[in-house]
Amino acid sequence: MSSISTAGILLRRIEYGDHDLILTLLTQDYGKISMIAKFARKSRKRFPGTLELFSEITLVGVSPRKGGMPVLQEAALKQPFAGIRGNLLKTAYASYWSELVLTWLEEQKAQKNIYRLLRYCLGALDAGQPPAVTSIVFQLYFLQFSGLSPNLRQCGRCRGALEKLPGEKFGFDLEKGGLVCKGCLTGKTPEWQLSRGTVKQLLWIQAGNLKNIRRLRFTEPAIKESQMFLEAFIPYHLGREPKSLKFLNHIRQLGS
Ligand SMILES: [Zn+2]
């Protein structure tokens, strides 16, 4: 019987039978992992207030000798991030990031940078930093850590460097993952474009690290452009639109 002890962020909880919960967590040391929490539904004393979505816990789990899902033995709250669950918009953003982690990451393969990123962004959301900007940061780094960074330094077709490209607006080739300059755009104007200023801000995030993110100042049009771009780029590479992204769009429309 092997036991694990680590920190983890709760991404999904499903009721199982009359008493139990099946949890999926992103853990610091073992990556994405599913566990069963026995009697978590029946007895509130078993895991009091610790198994809420998006909270960070420290946990001890044991894998049964016969194989099968690890069983959660102990859980203690590390960061409740309670400000997220009481707010629909914040919940929608956190659900979107969780779905990306759940669908993209392999089971039981540690990805410490993605763990740190998710914890950082949930903390920012909880602390009241602008959700839309935090989501741009999450998506850009998530793509970077997954080896899928969009190439914003040059035109993907003529290979011209950004500084030398004509015009102030650029298209983007989702398939090839690169910018498209005015000279290389064929056919009708794409439904969304990136202005030079937005591209520069996205490059600044790509080149930096999380510590500098607090200094980030986005204008409203740059937020809109980045949002449209990233929320088209990610579903394209995922092969479908995440369910939580539809929900997020719905909530944003209600708010505007
Ligand atoms: Zn070009």
Side-chain angles (χ1 to χ4, degrees):
M1 201 174 282
S2 66
S3 81
I4 60 166
S5 168
T6 184
I9 297 168
L10 230 95
L11 302 180
R12 184 162 60 195
R13 35 177 286 161
I14 298 170
E15 297 187 346
Y16 185 73
D18 289 335
H19 312 289
D20 308 338
L21 285 177
I22 291 180
L23 311 170
T24 308
L25 303 109
L26 178 63
T27 64
Q28 202 164 19
D29 303 300
Y30 303 90
K32 188 179 74 173
I33 203 165
S34 291
M35 302 184 112
I36 184 158
K38 294 200 165 165
F39 300 103
R41 291 175 59 200
K42 203 73 180 169
S43 159
R44 298 222 167 265
K45 282 185 212 139
R46 183 75 183 91
F47 299 105
T50 39
L51 304 181
E52 299 295 332
L53 275 186
F54 316 127
S55 54
E56 187 188 35
I57 60 175
T58 52
L59 64 94
V60 176
V62 174
S63 298
R65 207 173 309 175
K66 293 177 199 152
M69 199 178 282
V71 180
L72 184 68
Q73 298 284 328
E74 290 169 37
L77 206 53
K78 214 175 161 206
Q79 290 287 348
F81 298 133
I84 297 175
R85 292 186 300 275
N87 178 296
L88 208 53
L89 182 66
K90 292 181 183 183
T91 300
Y93 274 106
S95 304
Y96 172 49
W97 307 337
S98 295
E99 188 174 347
L100 295 186
V101 170
L102 284 168
T103 45
W104 221 304
L105 265 55
E106 275 176 60
E107 199 84 23
Q108 301 204 18
K109 186 181 164 213
Q111 294 224 250
K112 295 201 177 193
N113 47 11
I114 293 186
Y115 186 84
R116 273 196 296 274
L117 173 67
L118 182 63
R119 189 179 53 190
Y120 176 88
C121 289
L122 290 174
L125 207 55
D126 185 50
Q129 289 183 40
V133 176
T134 310
S135 193
I136 292 167
V137 169
F138 180 85
Q139 292 172 93
L140 266 185
Y141 281 116
F142 185 80
L143 287 167
Q144 191 165 321
F145 298 151
S146 309
L148 266 172
S149 262
N151 180 4
L152 300 164
R153 298 196 172 280
Q154 55 177 189
C155 172
R157 295 190 184 153
C158 66
R159 303 275 159 205
L162 176 65
E163 308 81 67
K164 298 197 174 134
L165 295 178
E168 288 304 307
K169 294 259 188 188
F170 307 101
F172 196 90
D173 186 332
L174 292 179
E175 191 188 336
K176 299 215 165 64
L179 278 186
V180 185
C181 77
K182 200 170 134 197
C184 294
L185 271 177
T186 47
K188 61 177 169 64
T189 321
E191 51 187 293
W192 47 265
Q193 292 183 304
L194 292 168
S195 357
R196 190 179 287 277
T198 305
V199 173
K200 282 186 180 162
Q201 284 199 297
L202 295 177
L203 281 170
W204 187 84
I205 301 175
Q206 278 186 339
N209 60 55
L210 282 176
K211 283 192 197 112
N212 297 330
I213 290 301
R214 278 172 213 279
R215 305 211 318 259
L216 195 62
R217 293 288 173 267
F218 260 103
T219 60
E220 209 45 53
I223 293 173
K224 279 266 160 346
E225 285 182 5
S226 308
Q227 193 170 289
M228 285 184 93
F229 161 59
L230 287 165
E231 291 174 11
F233 185 81
I234 287 183
Y236 181 87
H237 287 279
L238 203 60
R240 63 179 174 81
E241 189 184 13
K243 269 192 222 147
S244 52
L245 186 55
K246 279 187 199 151
F247 176 62
L248 175 59
N249 275 323
H250 179 66
I251 299 299
R252 282 193 298 223
Q253 272 159 16
L254 287 180
S256 65

